[in-house]
């Protein structure tokens, strides 16, 4: 059953470039806190990683990968208290892996991000009886 949320919101966009060696989660957390983003999402991402940390579907443990990885896709939501991000990467042979992005991803050459923010909404996470996880809650500001 679909859940309907508050009315639509205007959006604004932020651009951010991360440098080699930066850890992605901590950089995003710092950016969200500095800009007080209450309802953000990854609107676009291009770059590469030397370390990748993923939690694959249905698994509890984090898989750590080292090497040369191109980011194919990074998407998800960002809020003051957390994030929910999914990452797809490819290796030098074009083989792809993807899953829930975890702390430990390190920029290899660059990471160019466009982050959208819904100005009239706020995201938070609350326990969900259906999924058993903390899930997205959307409210008006």
């Amino acid at each position: 059953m679909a859940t309907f949320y508050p009315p639509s919101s205007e959006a604004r966009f932020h651009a951010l470039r991360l440098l080699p060696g930066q850890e992605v989660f901590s950089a995003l957390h710092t950016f969200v806190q500095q800009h007080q983003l209450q309802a953000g999402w990854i609107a676009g991402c291009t770059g590469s990683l030397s370390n990748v940390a993923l939690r694959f579907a249905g698994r509890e443990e984090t898989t750590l990968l080292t090497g040369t990885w191109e980011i194919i896709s990074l998407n998800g939501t960002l809020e003051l208290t957390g994030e929910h991000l999914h990452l797809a990467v490819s290796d030098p042979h074009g083989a792809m892996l993807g899953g829930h992005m975890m702390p430990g991803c390190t920029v290899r050459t660059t990471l160019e991000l466009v982050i959208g923010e819904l100005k009239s909404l706020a995201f938070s996470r609350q326990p969900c009886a259906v999924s058993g996880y903390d899930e997205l809650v959307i409210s008006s500001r």
Side-chain angles (χ1 to χ4, degrees), residues 75-115:
N75 60 56
T77 55
L78 303 161
E79 65 263 8
L80 290 169
T81 58
E83 65 287 312
H84 185 187
L85 300 172
H86 287 192
L87 172 68
V89 293
S90 68
D91 70 13
H93 305 286
M96 288 182 54
L97 290 171
H100 190 90
M101 184 180 181
M102 303 299 287
C105 295
T106 308
V107 176
R108 186 172 68 85
T109 58
T110 190
L111 186 64
E112 303 162 5
L113 290 152
V114 176
I115 299 172

Side-chain angles (χ1 to χ4, degrees), residues 24-124:
V24 179
F25 257 81
S26 58
L28 283 173
H29 179 76
T30 298
F31 188 84
V32 166
Q33 296 301 314
Q34 285 176 341
H35 293 86
Q36 291 293 292
L37 302 183
Q38 294 183 45
W41 81 95
I42 304 295
C45 177
T46 302
S48 63
L49 301 170
S50 55
N51 296 304
V52 175
L54 293 171
R55 189 183 76 223
F56 297 126
R59 308 289 293 267
E60 294 299 321
E61 72 277 2
T62 297
T63 299
L64 301 173
L65 308 166
T66 302
T68 303
W69 301 93
E70 290 292 331
I71 295 173
I72 303 305
S73 175
L74 174 61
N75 60 56
T77 55
L78 303 161
E79 65 263 8
L80 290 169
T81 58
E83 65 287 312
H84 185 187
L85 300 172
H86 287 192
L87 172 68
V89 293
S90 68
D91 70 13
H93 305 286
M96 288 182 54
L97 290 171
H100 190 90
M101 184 180 181
M102 303 299 287
C105 295
T106 308
V107 176
R108 186 172 68 85
T109 58
T110 190
L111 186 64
E112 303 162 5
L113 290 152
V114 176
I115 299 172
E117 178 188 15
L118 298 167
K119 295 167 43 175
S120 301
L121 301 177
F123 294 164
S124 63

